[in-house]
Amino acid sequence: MSTLRLAKPVPRAAVRANDSPAGPAAPRLIRFNKPYGVLSQFTPEGRWRGLKDFIDLPGVYVAGRLDADSEGLLLLTSDGRLQARIADPRFKMEKTYWVQVEDEPDEAALAALRSGVQLNDGLTLPARAERMDPPPALWERDPPIRVRLSRPTAWIALTIREGRNRQVRRMTAAVGHPTLRLVRASIGPYSLDGLAPGQWTEQSTSL
């Protein structure tokens, strides 16, 4: 899961990784590698950019959200049923995140993530959690994370089937390892494979 084929980073404008538009009657599905500092909406707000800086397609809507301070896979579609299937927690679609955390989690911390963590809105569902050693081969974040030189960091792969607000960050904090960087690597059968930050591609649906 830690192997990812990436193109060179894209600094700004809308870029297609694969320009093969679907027919007029077919639902559209877009995979987008959302950079840090971009909202999961087309309109910018305050210091955060919007998707319109990268995607110029009419009639597509975000399927599930990704916080502005998180990076990685964001799906957009023109099909309302597909949008609900991806975004609605009732369907429990797996989402895998690559998480850089402070300090090095031991087996007890990973076991807690796997069995469920008590948050202020209830116990999380069982998850998959494992150390990523070596770390994933990713692009440099802009801006870089803030680290304390006296504290080590580590990467974990965390797969969940829920969609609570800032859930991954709260889960790692609950087991004593605050999140420093968060990258969503996959949603169901779709992954970041082949996408540099700021790049998108259109493909046929497989759900």
Side-chain angles (χ1 to χ4, degrees):
M1 189 61 201
S2 61
T3 300
L4 186 65
R5 296 194 304 274
L6 293 172
K8 293 182 179 180
V10 178
R12 186 170 177 79
V15 176
R16 292 175 177 82
N18 179 11
D19 192 3
S20 55
R28 307 185 83 169
L29 179 68
I30 305 299
R31 290 188 302 123
F32 175 56
N33 187 347
K34 188 189 81 64
Y36 178 91
V38 178
L39 294 165
S40 296
Q41 62 188 46
F42 284 89
T43 305
E45 287 184 10
R47 65 190 180 99
W48 303 122
R49 289 179 291 170
L51 296 176
K52 70 177 184 179
D53 287 349
F54 303 90
I55 301 173
D56 59 359
L57 293 177
V60 295
Y61 305 93
V62 174
R65 302 186 66 82
L66 190 61
D67 294 327
D69 56 353
S70 299
E71 309 160 72
L73 184 63
L74 188 67
L75 298 179
L76 301 92
T77 181
S78 61
D79 184 87
R81 287 180 297 180
L82 180 58
Q83 182 186 33
R85 178 82 178 274
I86 295 168
D88 195 323
R90 291 178 300 173
F91 292 103
K92 295 182 172 58
M93 184 173 291
E94 285 193 346
K95 301 174 180 66
T96 296
Y97 297 84
W98 295 345
V99 194
Q100 187 177 15
V101 297
E102 191 170 80
D103 295 325
E104 298 182 8
D106 57 16
E107 187 56 35
L110 295 175
L113 293 172
R114 293 173 188 140
S115 61
V117 178
Q118 185 65 47
L119 304 178
N120 58 8
D121 53 357
L123 186 69
T124 63
L125 293 176
R128 295 203 305 272
E130 60 184 11
R131 284 282 302 269
M132 301 183 74
D133 191 13
L138 292 174
W139 56 91
E140 295 293 328
R141 204 189 78 170
D142 182 21
I145 65 168
R146 295 180 179 179
V147 295
R148 290 186 286 177
L149 297 179
S150 61
R151 305 291 288 270
T153 69
W155 283 87
I156 61 174
L158 183 61
T159 300
I160 63 175
R161 290 177 174 268
E162 299 175 275
R164 305 188 199 186
N165 184 47
R166 300 181 74 80
Q167 180 175 340
V168 171
R169 295 178 186 275
R170 292 192 291 147
M171 288 176 69
T172 66
V175 298
H177 298 278
T179 291
L180 301 173
R181 187 180 180 188
L182 182 61
V183 178
R184 186 157 63 194
S186 66
I187 301 173
Y190 305 110
S191 77
L192 277 179
D193 198 22
L195 294 177
Q199 196 173 55
W200 61 269
T201 187
E202 184 171 359
Q203 64 181 65
S204 60
T205 63
S206 58
L207 294 179

